[in-house]
Amino acid sequence: MKIAVYIGDGHLRSDSRFLGLVSDLERGGCSVYYVESDSALEDGTDMLLSVGGDGTFLSAALIALSYSVPVAGVNMGRMGFLSEGRAEDIADAILSGDYIVESRAVLNAELKVGETMTDDSSSYAVNEMTVRRSGAAMLGVDVCVDGVKLPTYWGDGLVISTSSGSTAYSLSVGGPIVLPESKVLIISPIAPHNLNVRPLVVPDTSEIVLTTQSRDGYFEFSSDNRTCDVPESAIISIKMAQFSLKRVRLNKSNFIQALTEKLYWGEDVRNVRH
């Protein structure tokens, strides 16, 4: 098996856990090589390892999408919902085949500014796409879901999240947690100035069109961990991409258990088992 390795933090190359992982893979007959964000994968690459946290995984995902190879997250960070595998578990799982390759939804955005339409790799996201105010002025976000207009959201912005991203930015602004296999999109306001707005869950077949109102003239648009300034006149159309991300999941992993261990979900003295 030929395995490419993407590392977000170069210091991790000397981490004993990572060195042990590479050693185990090579002893098991795997060919291991390193890639950067702008590197091409070698022919015959079977898997991409993302070494770091979820932010590193999102960067590695862009590489994996370009080559349609599965990506496995090696958690060297703090949280790790996408990169959940421990370094000491990954090698055994890969060498023994004790994993599955699951499909994770990918968002695609088309930005239209005047007569110009953009559609490139920076317009894809695994977790979420976000519009945010770029200055002090409040941002108004007008949303249409399959042609049906919602009341204008006023506040700091709006998050459009996949089910994979429900535990990321969407969660921090009050969005619901949904199981990764759920076929939904989540619309969550950021610091809303409307007292009566709540996050909205829509089918993942929906097309969500965003326009903005702001005295600043510009707003920030983010696709996962990539951000750019966009003119207020832009029209953003967000829908599911026609392809998905191949993500390696260890058979021993469990989403509910991850919620309990990482976010202390349900932490309560009455839930302690003696």
Side-chain angles (χ1 to χ4, degrees):
M1 178 180 284
K2 181 181 284 190
I3 299 177
V5 176
Y6 176 82
I7 301 180
D9 182 352
H11 292 93
L12 293 177
R13 287 200 182 202
S14 59
D15 188 289
S16 59
R17 293 169 296 170
F18 171 68
L19 293 175
L21 165 62
V22 173
S23 177
D24 289 343
L25 289 173
E26 291 179 336
R27 280 202 304 268
C30 295
S31 171
V32 179
Y33 70 98
Y34 297 90
V35 295
E36 304 293 337
S37 58
D38 56 352
S39 299
L41 295 188
E42 296 179 2
D43 291 341
T45 299
D46 298 294
M47 185 181 295
L48 174 63
L49 287 188
S50 166
V51 181
D54 281 354
T56 300
F57 185 96
L58 293 173
S59 297
L62 282 181
I63 304 173
L65 287 171
S66 298
Y67 292 88
S68 192
V69 299
V71 55
V74 182
N75 185 15
M76 307 287 279
R78 291 168 295 182
M79 190 64 69
F81 278 96
L82 291 170
S83 55
E84 62 182 353
R86 299 189 309 163
E88 45 270 44
D89 297 331
I90 289 288
D92 285 343
I94 291 176
L95 295 173
S96 65
D98 190 24
Y99 64 88
I100 63 171
V101 177
E102 61 183 13
S103 295
R104 287 293 182 96
V106 177
L107 291 175
N108 177 217
E110 292 182 339
L111 281 72
K112 185 176 182 180
V113 181
E115 297 302 316
T116 303
M117 184 78 76
T118 66
D119 184 9
D120 53 37
S121 61
S122 65
S123 298
Y124 296 117
V126 176
N127 269 353
E128 73 267 326
M129 290 182 168
T130 305
V131 294
R132 288 188 300 265
R133 64 186 177 98
S134 60
M138 190 179 300
L139 183 68
V141 185
D142 293 307
V143 183
C144 284
V145 178
D146 289 333
V148 178
K149 189 179 185 304
L150 306 183
T152 301
Y153 290 89
W154 292 97
D156 284 358
L158 201 68
V159 179
I160 310 298
S161 170
T162 64
S163 54
S164 295
S166 76
T167 52
Y169 197 178
S170 178
L171 176 66
S172 71
V173 298
I177 295 175
V178 299
L179 298 181
E181 59 268 25
S182 302
K183 298 184 180 301
V184 298
L185 298 176
I186 306 165
I187 303 173
S188 301
I190 306 171
H193 201 251
N194 316 58
L195 293 178
N196 55 351
V197 297
R198 294 291 184 270
L200 181 66
V201 178
V202 301
D204 70 353
T205 55
S206 303
E207 180 178 17
I208 302 172
V209 178
L210 309 177
T211 55
T212 63
Q213 306 174 45
S214 174
R215 292 194 299 271
D216 292 320
Y218 281 80
F219 63 91
E220 288 186 351
F221 174 70
S222 297
S223 295
D224 284 338
N225 51 5
R226 306 173 307 282
T227 301
C228 62
D229 288 328
V230 179
E232 179 198 359
S233 60
I235 300 173
I236 303 176
S237 175
I238 299 174
K239 56 186 177 182
M240 300 301 301
Q242 296 301 306
F243 50 84
S244 58
L245 174 70
K246 297 177 182 178
R247 176 180 176 269
V248 174
R249 179 171 67 83
L250 305 190
N251 284 330
K252 64 185 295 184
S253 67
N254 180 292
F255 181 71
I256 300 301
Q257 181 179 347
L259 286 177
T260 304
E261 294 178 351
K262 299 176 187 293
L263 296 180
Y264 302 103
W265 186 44
E267 189 75 11
D268 190 313
V269 294
R270 293 168 296 185
N271 293 338
V272 176
R273 295 183 179 180
H274 299 286

